Amino acid sequence: MTAQRRVVAEVLDGDHVHLTADEVHTRAVAKLPEISRATVYNTLGELVSLGEVLEVATDKRAKRYDPNAHRPHHHLVCARCGAIRDVHPSGNPLADLPDSERFGFTVSDVEVTYRGLCPDCAAAA
Amino acid sequence: MTAQRRVVAEVLDGDHVHLTADEVHTRAVAKLPEISRATVYNTLGELVSLGEVLEVATDKRAKRYDPNAHRPHHHLVCARCGAIRDVHPSGNPLADLPDSERFGFTVSDVEVTYRGLCPDCAAAA
DNA sequence: GCTTGACTTGGACTCGATCTAAGTGAGGGT
DNA sequence: ACCCTCACTTAGATCGAGTCCAAGTCAAGC
């Protein structure tokens, strides 16, 4: 546990936090000016393989990192401004995939992304 | 409708077709050697805005283009080899998101990606 | 036969992400 | 104490996907 890793972990703390690697780097630099982008990427990669942080790809631009890895959840994304909220749908979408639609796959996981407009963007439209 | 656009449309034809822009370009070149990458991107972009083709981002690498735009469907992806199948879950995942989990958003769309192992990769594992 | 305008081309460029080679520093062994 | 080692970090190069732009092409209309 080095100072750099602690800083990255600190930046990724809280609910509904979904920062890009670059945003993580910017905030980490504020706390530890000499930290490099490569280290941020390395550390994020380790946190992901440790299962402490999830990668989410809600837009096709930069990946985002979600510290809320311990409670399964899905994402609600504003199509206009990109705001992201964690959501917990009722029911289990995995159960909605009938055997006839599994093509022999061993299905182990499901990702759901809801898209729409956040209240602010809906008001502006 | 130019020769270039016809070629791109021809390449994107069939079920369970999910090519990257680069694969589309490679196949288009086989039919029309002088077609440029920019034109492939332009044409794919137009097909997407016309609603004839869907962009899917099942991995965080290149976008893929799915000509099966007219019947709503979701995707089943092999975590090991990247194979993609179109699937049609029972039920409507949109209905599974209670109002209390919508945070005032106007939710209009939902994307579901199932992940697992395809029969071949499961056998190899 | 010219002009116009839409389409195409190729190359430069952007951006996110990864890789590499060199630098740093804390422990461990002697 | 001293040095060795090895993991970690750094800066910058590189990569890959995608976009941009200036110049080129070509067909339709005047």
Side-chain angles (χ1 to χ4, degrees):
Chain A
M1 174 59 76
T2 64
Q4 287 82 352
R5 299 189 181 195
R6 189 172 31 73
V7 165
V8 170
E10 279 173 20
V11 167
L12 282 172
D13 187 41
D15 272 0
H16 300 294
V17 171
H18 305 87
L19 300 172
T20 64
D22 216 54
E23 288 163 348
V24 172
H25 179 233
T26 301
R27 300 189 186 200
V29 164
K31 303 187 176 211
L32 188 65
E34 69 275 22
I35 195 170
S36 79
R37 291 194 322 120
T39 297
V40 170
Y41 276 107
N42 288 343
T43 307
L44 288 173
E46 282 168 40
L47 290 171
V48 169
S49 24
L50 289 174
E52 294 296 315
V53 163
L54 294 176
E55 269 183 13
V56 293
T58 50
D59 59 26
K60 32 246 146 190
R61 318 280 300 168
K63 294 177 203 168
R64 293 175 178 277
Y65 293 87
D66 182 344
N68 186 11
H70 294 300
R71 190 139 29 98
H73 63 277
H74 298 291
H75 292 108
L76 170 55
V77 181
C78 176
R80 175 180 288 217
C81 71
I84 304 178
R85 309 295 309 234
D86 290 354
V87 293
H88 303 84
S90 63
N92 176 9
L94 259 185
D96 284 350
L97 193 64
D99 276 349
S100 62
E101 285 285 318
R102 298 196 177 203
F103 299 98
F105 279 54
T106 313
V107 183
S108 54
D109 193 26
V110 59
E111 259 172 54
V112 182
T113 305
Y114 296 92
R115 297 186 187 279
L117 291 177
C118 71
D120 290 351
C121 288
Chain B
M1 171 61 72
T2 65
Q4 286 82 352
R5 299 189 182 195
R6 187 170 33 74
V7 164
V8 170
E10 280 173 17
V11 167
L12 283 172
D13 188 41
D15 272 0
H16 299 293
V17 172
H18 305 88
L19 299 171
T20 64
D22 216 54
E23 289 163 348
V24 172
H25 179 232
T26 301
R27 300 189 186 201
V29 164
K31 303 186 177 212
L32 189 65
E34 70 275 22
I35 194 171
S36 80
R37 291 194 323 122
T39 298
V40 171
Y41 276 107
N42 287 344
T43 307
L44 288 173
E46 282 170 39
L47 289 171
V48 168
S49 25
L50 288 173
E52 294 296 316
V53 163
L54 292 177
E55 268 182 13
V56 294
T58 50
D59 59 27
K60 33 244 144 193
R61 318 281 300 168
K63 293 177 202 168
R64 292 175 178 277
Y65 293 88
D66 183 343
N68 187 10
H70 295 300
R71 192 137 29 98
H73 63 277
H74 299 291
H75 292 108
L76 170 55
V77 181
C78 176
R80 173 180 290 219
C81 72
I84 304 176
R85 309 293 310 232
D86 292 353
V87 294
H88 305 84
S90 63
N92 177 8
L94 260 183
D96 284 348
L97 193 64
D99 277 350
S100 61
E101 286 285 318
R102 298 197 177 202
F103 300 97
F105 279 54
T106 312
V107 183
S108 54
D109 192 26
V110 59
E111 261 172 53
V112 182
T113 305
Y114 296 92
R115 297 187 187 278
L117 291 177
C118 70
D120 290 352
C121 288

